[in-house]
Amino acid sequence: MPLYRDFSDDNATILVWKYDETEDLDIHTLLEPENAEKVKDYHPKKLLEVLMVRKLLKSLKPDSKILYKEREPFLSPKDAEISITHSFPFAAIAVSKNKIGIDVEKFNPKILRVIDKFTYENERGFIPEDKADTFYTIIWSVKESMYKIHHSKYWSLKKNYEVKPFELKHLHKISCRVYDEQFSDELKARVEFFDDYCFTIVEE
């Protein structure tokens, strides 16, 4: 299969695939029967993304399934941690010994319209105006990756996920944290760029 990038490290296998229309993505072979109802109304591109992730998994763990608990994916049998992400034409999977979150986002100036939904004004002082869309896409992607590690419907990306100031020349160890009144988990994010996309990895 046409692997696009391999960002694996000592703890995790992290693979990115770019869609190739010549690739065989047979829903009957790849999709778990347990997920048939979940995807029945998906847009064709979203369904392709789902099948791409399954094909990536087959290359790593051919006897495993991706199932969901409250929309959060997990491996069955649960012998490793998993994170998945997709934004057509890309799909990615991470299989790890430890909890991991990955996210892929296309750079888009429209993100500037929604920064109040995921950042506070006092978080923005380090962001240069001429690169604002790049910085906010990274922040969004890092927070999405953290959310996949600490998933809770009661937490918000704005209130409970923090990305510390960073520079574009230092994107492999961005400090970030998940917190509330009783809890705080300090993490490091790794950010990669390709094809006008941002790809983020956060590992525990």
Side-chain angles (χ1 to χ4, degrees), residues 12-200:
T13 301
I14 305 164
L15 305 178
V16 182
W17 179 13
K18 187 175 184 180
Y19 176 66
D20 180 344
E21 61 186 18
T22 65
E23 187 76 21
D24 180 26
L25 293 171
D26 178 37
I27 189 170
H28 303 292
T29 304
L30 295 173
L31 186 71
E32 308 85 354
E34 296 92 332
N35 292 321
E37 186 68 18
K38 177 183 174 67
V39 307
K40 67 182 178 64
D41 296 322
Y42 275 16
H43 184 280
K45 280 188 178 177
K46 186 172 183 181
L47 182 58
L48 282 174
E49 293 168 352
V50 168
L51 297 178
M52 287 162 67
V53 166
R54 269 63 185 177
K55 190 129 186 183
L56 284 167
L57 179 64
K58 292 285 186 193
S59 72
L60 298 174
K61 296 174 75 67
D63 297 322
S64 294
K65 297 179 180 180
I66 297 174
L67 303 179
Y68 294 86
K69 181 179 180 182
E70 295 177 356
R71 297 173 59 196
E72 187 176 6
F74 66 91
L75 275 183
S76 177
K78 199 173 190 322
D79 55 359
E81 299 290 339
I82 190 174
S83 184
I84 61 178
T85 185
H86 36 73
S87 178
F88 197 82
F90 292 104
I93 190 169
V95 177
S96 177
K97 295 182 272 187
N98 306 316
K99 277 192 166 290
I100 188 167
I102 61 173
D103 183 67
V104 61
E105 300 286 342
K106 185 174 176 63
F107 288 110
N108 189 333
K110 289 181 180 178
I111 197 167
L112 300 178
R113 302 177 188 172
V114 297
I115 59 174
D116 288 332
K117 293 185 181 297
F118 66 97
T119 64
Y120 288 108
E121 192 170 344
N122 62 8
E123 295 180 278
R124 306 171 193 163
F126 72 98
I127 297 174
E129 193 172 330
D130 62 334
K131 299 277 188 184
D133 56 335
T134 300
F135 275 79
Y136 284 117
T137 301
I138 293 169
I139 291 170
W140 173 269
S141 189
V142 171
K143 290 190 175 190
E144 282 283 330
S145 297
M146 285 193 286
Y147 179 81
K148 292 175 180 180
I149 293 176
H150 289 292
H151 174 83
S152 170
K153 63 184 178 181
Y154 300 110
W155 285 355
S156 79
L157 293 187
K158 184 169 182 174
K159 294 179 181 178
N160 302 100
Y161 300 81
E162 179 185 12
V163 180
K164 306 289 179 65
F166 60 89
E167 299 177 16
L168 294 183
K169 61 184 177 181
H170 299 299
L171 291 176
H172 279 196
K173 288 190 176 179
I174 297 175
S175 295
C176 50
R177 71 173 180 141
V178 184
Y179 66 97
D180 63 16
E181 291 82 1
Q182 288 86 37
F183 165 89
S184 180
D185 191 5
E186 304 279 342
L187 299 161
K188 295 288 185 184
R190 171 184 168 193
V191 176
E192 305 281 353
F193 294 166
F194 52 76
D195 272 29
D196 205 28
Y197 281 76
C198 165
F199 184 68
T200 302

